[in-house]
Amino acid sequence: MDPLPKPFAVPVLSEAERSKQDRADDALFYAEPRFVQHLDGAFRSRLTALYAERIPPDAVVLDLMASWVSHLPEQGRYREVIGHGLNGRELEANPRLDRHWVQNLNLDQRLPLESSSVDAALIVAGWQYLQQPEAVAAELLRVLRPGGLLIVAFSNRMFFQKAPRIWTDGSDRDRLALVAKVLMAQGWPLPQLIAEDTRAEGPLGWLGGHGDPFFAVIATRPQDSDRRQGPIAHA
Ligand SMILES: C[S@@+](CC[C@H](N)C(=O)[O-])C[C@H]1O[C@@H](n2cnc3c(N)ncnc32)[C@H](O)[C@@H]1O
């Protein structure tokens, strides 16, 4: 089946910046499940605390580019948690997901979700693999409700061969700025940026050892009446 037409999006990256070392279909790389943690405990605790603080109870949550683990607080009660990723077995093993689907976002960025149907969209250690982040950002703006929240979190780890050049060549600060720039080009308002050290868990942390550094970009979909006349308004 042909992919659906690309969502309208304002380009930010050049073609060279989208290229990556391993150009084979991403589905091959993710064909076998990886039942591992991609981020350390310090990062995960920081992320869960952020979710507890920012995601309202009863929200419809979209966990885009997810795996077998969820970073949502255990006590959090949400109306629905929808998962997406590239490995069906990992998603089936994720206890927080009420439903999920598998889709390669580098081939087709259109999300099979109703407009204004999601309260909080989350991407953890996933944005770094997007070759068409502009179209994904435009789709997220469409599927979030006015007032809905997008949280893009990442650290400094990656599958290097699968990350586009714009990500592998940049610093942590460049990556924060990049996510913000891509979002704003699609009509998102200025996001909040977080860059923090974490303290390693256990004895290493007591001795001052560091955990995975924590970066997040948090954006709120404006109420329709607040939306500036950006490109997305004409799409
Ligand atoms: C490092 S893992 C992070 C998984 C999860 N968010 C977590 O916190 O454990 C990167 C994830 O990005 C997703 N991913 C990578 N490339 C993708 C692509 N082309 N299309 C859709 N998802 C992709 C996969 O689902 C993979 O599990």
Side-chain angles (χ1 to χ4, degrees):
M1 197 175 77
D2 285 342
L4 290 164
K6 272 193 181 179
F8 175 85
V10 177
V12 174
L13 277 61
S14 68
E15 285 314 303
E17 288 170 332
R18 295 179 206 279
S19 68
K20 57 186 183 188
Q21 246 176 37
D22 177 355
R23 293 170 187 212
D25 188 337
D26 292 344
L28 296 173
F29 188 78
Y30 290 97
E32 284 303 314
R34 288 183 180 83
F35 293 114
V36 298
Q37 291 285 359
H38 295 283
L39 300 151
D40 73 3
F43 181 103
R44 299 197 311 271
S45 301
R46 176 65 187 95
L47 183 60
T48 299
L50 179 69
Y51 287 169
E53 188 190 311
R54 303 297 291 264
I55 303 174
D58 210 30
V60 173
V61 177
L62 169 63
D63 193 352
L64 204 68
M65 311 188 82
S67 67
W68 66 292
V69 285
S70 165
H71 311 291
L72 289 165
E74 264 177 38
Q75 67 281 14
R77 293 287 165 264
Y78 306 105
R79 195 167 344 142
E80 191 178 24
V81 182
I82 307 165
H84 152 271
L86 259 191
N87 185 285
R89 281 172 60 199
E90 288 182 18
L91 297 169
E92 275 154 28
N94 187 323
R96 285 310 290 259
L97 304 181
D98 295 304
R99 62 185 166 107
H100 67 261
W101 85 98
V102 173
Q103 177 182 337
N104 184 339
L105 290 177
N106 286 334
L107 294 179
D108 177 7
Q109 296 80 43
R110 191 153 293 258
L111 304 178
L113 298 169
E114 295 289 316
S115 298
S116 303
S117 61
V118 170
D119 299 294
L122 318 172
I123 304 183
V124 185
W127 184 289
Q128 60 223 49
Y129 304 115
L130 293 174
Q131 291 179 284
Q132 308 290 338
E134 301 96 325
V136 174
E139 273 294 85
L140 287 167
L141 190 62
R142 178 183 70 76
V143 303
L144 274 161
R145 286 186 219 289
L149 193 69
L150 169 64
I151 303 180
V152 177
F154 56 89
S155 191
N156 56 5
R157 301 167 180 239
M158 70 188 95
F159 296 122
F160 190 91
Q161 70 275 34
K162 278 290 171 190
R165 253 185 54 194
I166 186 85
W167 199 270
T168 58
D169 289 1
S171 67
D172 295 329
R173 303 280 162 162
D174 293 338
R175 294 168 187 156
L176 274 174
L178 170 72
V179 176
K181 186 174 171 186
V182 168
L183 291 174
M184 290 172 70
Q186 315 314 319
W188 285 89
L190 184 68
Q192 179 190 352
L193 307 184
I194 300 179
E196 290 176 4
D197 261 345
T198 63
R199 179 178 284 223
E201 290 193 320
L204 197 60
W206 308 335
L207 298 170
H210 296 284
D212 288 344
F214 182 83
F215 303 103
V217 178
I218 305 175
T220 304
R221 183 184 152 176
Q223 301 296 331
D224 283 338
S225 56
D226 307 336
R227 281 175 72 179
R228 67 179 169 82
Q229 286 294 299
I232 202 76
H234 305 292

